[in-house]
Amino acid sequence: VSVDAASSSWLSVSPSKGGAGQHTLSVSVSENTNGKSRTGTVTVSSGDVSKVIVLTQSGFETTLSIPSSQLFWNLGYESQSVEVNLGCNAEWSVSVDAASSSWLSVSPSKGGAGQHTLSISVSENTGEESRTGIVTVSSGEVSKKISLTQSGRIFQPEIGGPEDMPVEEWK
C-alpha cells in the first residue's frame, strides 16, 4: 500500500503490507486547517494488479468576527490608538490602504486562530481636512473592513479671541 507523495503529509495507511486473504486498511486523515479542499490517492498493489482509492477532504469554512461597534471609528485630530477585538478560526493578516499607510499602523499585522486584540495607531492630523483610512482584516476568502475617520485640526488665533485681532477702518 502506498500514498502519493503530495498527500503523504496528511494521509497515512496501516498496514502497509499484508499476505493473501481479507484485510482491513485503516486510512488516517489529519485535520485540514486550510479553507480549500484537497485530494490524495492511496494505491493498493498485489503483483501486476493495482487499485487506486481517491480521497477528497473538504476545507472548512473560515469565520472572522469583529464587533460591529468596532468597524467604524470617528476620531479627533489628536494622535491616538484604538483597540479592535478579533476572533478567527484560521490564520489572518491585516493591510492598510495605501492612501492611509502614512498615518495608520496596526499591531499585530497577522496571527493564527483564536481571539486577538488589534491596536490601530493613528498619527495626529495636522491638516484642516478630515481624512478616512481603511484597515482590512483577511482570512482566506473572508475579509472585514475597519473604517477610521479622523477630524481635521481646527486652527484658532494664538492670542486671545477676535477682540485681540487688529481692526482697520473702512475707507
Side-chain angles (χ1 to χ4, degrees):
V1 178
S2 64
V3 174
D4 68 289
S7 308
S8 63
S9 64
W10 60 275
L11 270 180
S12 62
V13 181
S14 177
S16 61
K17 294 180 182 183
Q22 295 291 320
H23 300 278
T24 300
L25 295 177
S26 177
V27 179
S28 297
V29 181
S30 64
E31 179 182 8
N32 187 352
T33 57
N34 188 326
K36 298 176 184 172
S37 65
R38 58 189 179 184
T39 300
T41 59
V42 174
T43 304
V44 181
S45 300
S46 179
D48 294 338
V49 179
S50 293
K51 295 289 182 184
V52 176
I53 303 165
V54 178
L55 297 110
T56 300
Q57 183 182 31
S58 63
F60 67 91
E61 185 176 335
T62 302
T63 60
L64 174 63
S65 64
I66 297 173
S68 59
S69 63
Q70 296 177 359
L71 293 175
F72 299 95
W73 296 86
N74 289 309
L75 307 169
Y77 73 89
E78 306 88 2
S79 175
Q80 59 200 289
S81 290
V82 297
E83 290 188 345
V84 174
N85 298 315
L86 159 71
C88 191
N89 67 345
E91 290 184 359
W92 53 270
S93 63
V94 176
S95 63
V96 176
D97 66 313
S100 310
S101 62
S102 64
W103 59 276
L104 282 179
S105 62
V106 184
S107 179
S109 61
K110 61 184 175 178
Q115 298 296 318
H116 304 275
T117 300
L118 299 178
S119 179
I120 303 174
S121 297
V122 182
S123 298
E124 179 179 5
N125 186 357
T126 57
E128 294 182 44
E129 299 293 320
S130 66
R131 57 189 180 183
T132 298
I134 303 293
V135 172
T136 304
V137 182
S138 302
S139 180
E141 301 296 317
V142 179
S143 66
K144 298 272 184 176
K145 295 190 180 300
I146 303 165
S147 174
L148 298 103
T149 300
Q150 186 180 33
S151 65
R153 185 173 190 154
I154 299 171
F155 292 97
Q156 297 179 354
E158 292 183 23
I159 305 173
E163 64 276 355
D164 293 333
M165 296 177 78
V167 178
E168 292 183 24
E169 283 185 41
W170 268 106
K171 294 185 184 181

